[in-house]
């Protein structure tokens, strides 16, 4: 229970009131205290879970999930977080393009929210779309409550958009906090966020963008590496540079995987699609030009194949700090000779870090639950303390 | 809390015992007191929700949803109602025709009901089928309980059939009660239930039928308008005529949209398929004659296109009472220049009524929950009062 | 409440500690006391349900369902069992082959289990696969808990594999206990587990295998009958023979339906695919040889059609004990002239046994719930007694 007390104490020293009643869409719209509060609340919820204490904020209520891209682990993380807090998940199944137009978004957002306390959205396929869709839904339900249509206003949680993947990047950094002992200890650590080769096509940019946008705020030495042409969105790069200056960390770009790995404490090699190609893809999708979309896909796969040497190999790992950097990934990884012939990471590197990777992933439900807790409960410390002292148990063993 | 006391007081003065332990399939099989009790219970549940009180009838139990047609808002309304009362939704996914035969309906109805307290069914595609299917399921589970197969008998809620759409029509009328102050105040109000042009095909008859069958019982002046050939089922027209006489209201038919709108207090313009065509469709479906079904669809769309002037336009709205009748719709509407080129309603008319339309829709989860409450709880007033006085809250804010 | 006390008393006299904390994969890996404890716990839970008592072990938690074959009744049985005990179901939808490889199974098993207390798996399509897949998942989540990835270790429940269908066979035998008054009374009763003709293709072997593997332990006279070539797995036959000797029952094989039915107290005629064909099918599936798979299907259907006389007819039923053996089936049955032209059973035989068949099926949710209860609660008798004495009710009537 020591850990729980530390978490509550940490919350007592943070100003996170700005999270109350608000959506969680982008990490860079939240203050450093608010980010730290999410970490503390996530660890507090995990500590209570370990103690077998129920942590239901809600006696009833719906958590609506709206996935506009396939997902297993994010779906289960959202369902787990809702269950932890007492909400029941109701999925909204829809085609990718069905809710595209303004009037319809506003209407559907209200129609699914009569009993909704939370809406989790994943919409990461098209540049310039996912985040703006989320803001459209958010504004619709806020207006719905003002108009007396909704008895309560559901909080939005970004489960991955075109810009950011906050539940992933926060789960990743929480893993680093656990590995290094504290948020403070991350200062000065070198993290290499790098592209890696994958035989599959068009993975979103939100993971690398989320990592560089978050790690640069923490005083870390952040290096972004990729082959020429595989740029991420320029505004996120600019944001990373500015934040690094403010935090006393650094942000560098390189086209050399070796340079990125050199003396890195943490490496995060992961495939993504070039920003320019993603923009082209959105435009072709808007035109409904399926032939050109297929041609673009073939072209991108061919270009990818020129960079099969961008693999997180044992040789590269030797370049890292003490030859044993922490290997991170959002999973599932394309593992060479396991899930594909040639992929993002050598099997031995992955296997050596497997338990660590699973722990990294296991933070996500708690991060989502922490976002909901801080958006819905004005004095979470009091509630956390009550739960800890209660003699209720989640499970009659 | 005044509103809640009024609702409980209203229930005290109504004889609604006939709802206890019974299905809710057709509004016209329920007494006027029973209909009024559904309105009072729905408002009471909403008042408790506004007060933040939990309203769980059930500690556990399943609400089975069986949708034989696509649905987003009815699915969410049913899920919301179940959640409000403590039930967990379990969906039965099935093809349209899989449960068509007698032995199978009886068997499946029992197999899905071992822990089911409620079954919500939407089956509106084929004339002469949906309601009879519901009665078949109802009789199967009643027998299942008598036989000792089921520990409890699930209550059926009609979420739309070929004859009626009671959760919609009751949500619609509850909206009018809120707009006009009381059920009594609806007497003498003119409501125009009219056909409207839509570019889509074969919408069910249950909305217009549900509205004329319910509004004529309330002393309203009901006008049904549509192009020649777009008749609804003759037995529902006959029912409306009889009920209007009994209630002191009126029921008229016209082929003129102008005549219907003239001095109307409320207009409900909405597309549907002609009854004769729906009968033909059922016959062709039974034959498995897909070519003829496609030919029928093309023919119906062509006939529809002859009536593009059946749009709820600003000009037509000027004919209504004081030029500002309340515009109603079950949503989603086909809005001209928004969701289609030419549709059921002009964008400006829709937009002016948008908040009102969303409030109309927001009644549906409470109507469904009220149906379940009155079917499952013998003294709902006592329970409503207990919930109001309890210091439990749904949500630890 | 007498029945409940008898169940608790029965549990007091049984040694079922081996079930605590363990998966339920195969009946023959469980001791006779453990099998008897499942029956007693299932009846206890049903008695509490009849008394209207809530039986939530869990205040929150997920029951993950993973169906690698279509299912309605097993899905609803699992959902019902979870609901009865306080768990929320989260479905994992996946293609049949997606989780085929080692690394992926281990990873996915952990990723879906962060809040999972139970995982129910149905994987019965390929010989040599289903059960080994379950053991792979089980070992992955056990390791996950040891590694600190999971806060709790989910219990696996086999909802049908290539070897056994324990929730079915236990529900079936519990039905016989209810019919004959006690487990002891089943000794010496003759049960004919027989093949029957069905126009459909490739049904799993796990039902006949599950029945002969369980009934032979109970001192029953077990006969397995099928046309030549329709053998089940040889190791299960050997197991049945050994167990029959130990229990004082018997196990015989015959190619004559008449011989099997002669003086049988219970008959269980049901279609399945030949073991040799199932092996061939798995090999062709591994090769991705779809043409050969289709050819195999055609060939099997043709061979099946040579045995249309393997129908549970009124004539055959006359051969059974007193001419009125109990007819059993796992449902849905292929009923001649009802669900198909020629099938497993004559309509009149099915109809006469219909209520009994539904009761047989109604045991399944309680069997699953009992498996979970005994795996999760160390002193279930205490909890059952507390529930019985509590003045809580599941439903505010």
């Amino acid at each position: 229970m020591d850990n729980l007390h530390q978490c509550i104490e940490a919350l007592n020293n943070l100003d996170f009131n700005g999270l109350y009643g608000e959506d969680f869409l982008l990490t860079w719209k939240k203050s450093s205290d608010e980010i730290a509060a999410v970490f503390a609340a996530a660890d507090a919820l995990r500590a209570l879970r370990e103690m077998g204490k129920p942590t239901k904020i809600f006696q009833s209520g719906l958590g609506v999930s709206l996935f506009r891209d396939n997902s297993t682990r994010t779906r289960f993380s959202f369902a787990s977080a809702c269950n932890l807090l007492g909400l029941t998940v109701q999925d909204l199944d829809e085609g990718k393009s069905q809710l595209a137009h303004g009037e319809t978004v506003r209407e559907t957002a209200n129609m699914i929210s009569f009993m909704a306390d939370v809406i989790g959205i994943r919409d990461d396929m098209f540049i310039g779309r996912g985040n703006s869709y989320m803001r459209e839904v958010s504004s619709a339900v806020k207006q719905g409550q003002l108009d007396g249509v909704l008895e309560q206003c559901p909080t939005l949680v970004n489960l991955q958009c075109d810009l950011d993947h906050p539940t992933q990047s926060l789960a990743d950094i929480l893993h680093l906090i656990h590995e290094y002992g504290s948020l403070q200890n991350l200062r000065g650590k070198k993290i290499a966020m790098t592209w890696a080769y994958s035989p599959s096509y068009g993975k979103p940019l939100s993971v690398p963008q989320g990592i560089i946008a978050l790690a640069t705020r923490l005083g870390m030495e952040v290096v972004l590496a990729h082959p020429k042409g595989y740029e991420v969105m320029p505004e996120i790069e600019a944001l990373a540079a500015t934040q690094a200056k403010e935090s006393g960390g650094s942000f560098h770009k390189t086209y050399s995987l070796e340079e990125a790995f050199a003396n890195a404490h943490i490496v995060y090699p992961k495939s993504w699609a070039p920003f320019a190609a993603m923009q082209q893809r959105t435009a072709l999708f808007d035109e409904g030009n399926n032939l050109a979309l297929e041609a673009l896909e073939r072209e991108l796969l061919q270009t990818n194949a020129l960079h099969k040497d961008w693999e997180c190999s044992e040789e590269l790992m030797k370049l890292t700090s003490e030859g044993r950097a922490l290997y991170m990934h959002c999973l599932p990884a394309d593992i060479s000779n396991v899930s594909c012939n040639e992929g993002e990471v050598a099997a031995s590197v992955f296997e050596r870090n497997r338990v660590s990777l699973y722990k990294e992933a296991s933070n996500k439900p708690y991060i989502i639950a922490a976002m909901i807790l801080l958006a819905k409960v004005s004095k979470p410390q009091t509630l956390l303390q009550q739960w800890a002292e209660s003699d209720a148990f989640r499970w009659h063993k």
Side-chain angles (χ1 to χ4, degrees), chain A residues 360-378:
Chain A
E360 179 186 348
S362 77
N363 289 330
K364 200 184 273 183
Y366 296 104
I367 287 289
I368 299 174
M371 289 173 173
I372 300 173
L373 175 75
L374 299 174
K376 293 298 192 182
V377 177
S378 58

Side-chain angles (χ1 to χ4, degrees), chain A residues 384-396:
Chain A
L384 292 167
Q385 190 63 44
Q386 279 172 12
W387 284 331
E389 288 166 9
S390 143
D391 54 4
F393 281 91
R394 185 183 75 84
W395 166 11
H396 289 285

Side-chain angles (χ1 to χ4, degrees), chain A residues 95-113:
Chain A
K96 278 172 200 165
S97 56
Q98 199 188 336
L99 292 194
H101 306 296
E103 183 56 42
T104 315
V105 173
R106 182 158 51 177
E107 190 170 305
T108 304
N110 276 277
M111 297 302 125
I112 64 174
S113 298

Side-chain angles (χ1 to χ4, degrees), chain A residues 276-328:
Chain A
M278 291 294 257
Q279 279 185 307
Q280 216 179 325
R281 198 168 154 226
T282 304
L284 294 172
F285 183 80
D286 285 349
E287 292 168 20
N289 192 338
N290 287 325
L291 278 180
L293 277 168
E294 286 166 27
L296 176 64
E297 176 171 345
R298 278 193 303 277
E299 187 194 316
L300 284 174
L301 288 175
Q302 281 164 9
T303 314
N304 272 8
L306 301 175
H307 305 293
K308 292 190 177 179
D309 53 327
W310 284 68
E311 187 213 38
C312 180
S313 64
E314 291 288 5
E315 287 64 41
L316 277 163
M317 288 301 282
K318 285 180 189 146
L319 305 176
T320 66
S321 176
E322 300 181 45
R324 51 177 181 83
L326 185 72
Y327 165 81
M328 298 185 85

Side-chain angles (χ1 to χ4, degrees), chain A residues 196-322:
Chain A
Y197 170 73
S198 154
S200 82
Y201 155 73
K203 300 196 175 177
L205 297 165
S206 46
V207 170
Q209 293 179 166
I211 290 294
I212 65 170
L214 185 55
T216 50
R217 297 175 67 180
L218 309 175
M220 299 182 78
E221 311 295 318
V222 181
V223 177
L224 176 67
H226 53 75
K228 277 189 193 169
Y230 283 79
E231 269 68 25
V232 303
M233 294 174 75
E235 54 265 48
I236 310 290
E237 283 191 19
L239 178 77
T242 308
Q243 291 181 155
K245 251 181 228 164
E246 289 169 6
S247 76
S250 67
F251 176 65
H252 292 294
K253 279 193 59 178
T254 172
Y255 298 128
S256 156
L257 195 49
E258 287 73 14
E259 192 185 322
F261 269 52
N263 298 310
H265 300 90
I266 304 130
V267 297
Y268 203 138
K270 150 109 191 66
S271 188
W272 65 79
F275 171 50
M278 291 294 257
Q279 279 185 307
Q280 216 179 325
R281 198 168 154 226
T282 304
L284 294 172
F285 183 80
D286 285 349
E287 292 168 20
N289 192 338
N290 287 325
L291 278 180
L293 277 168
E294 286 166 27
L296 176 64
E297 176 171 345
R298 278 193 303 277
E299 187 194 316
L300 284 174
L301 288 175
Q302 281 164 9
T303 314
N304 272 8
L306 301 175
H307 305 293
K308 292 190 177 179
D309 53 327
W310 284 68
E311 187 213 38
C312 180
S313 64
E314 291 288 5
E315 287 64 41
L316 277 163
M317 288 301 282
K318 285 180 189 146
L319 305 176
T320 66
S321 176
E322 300 181 45

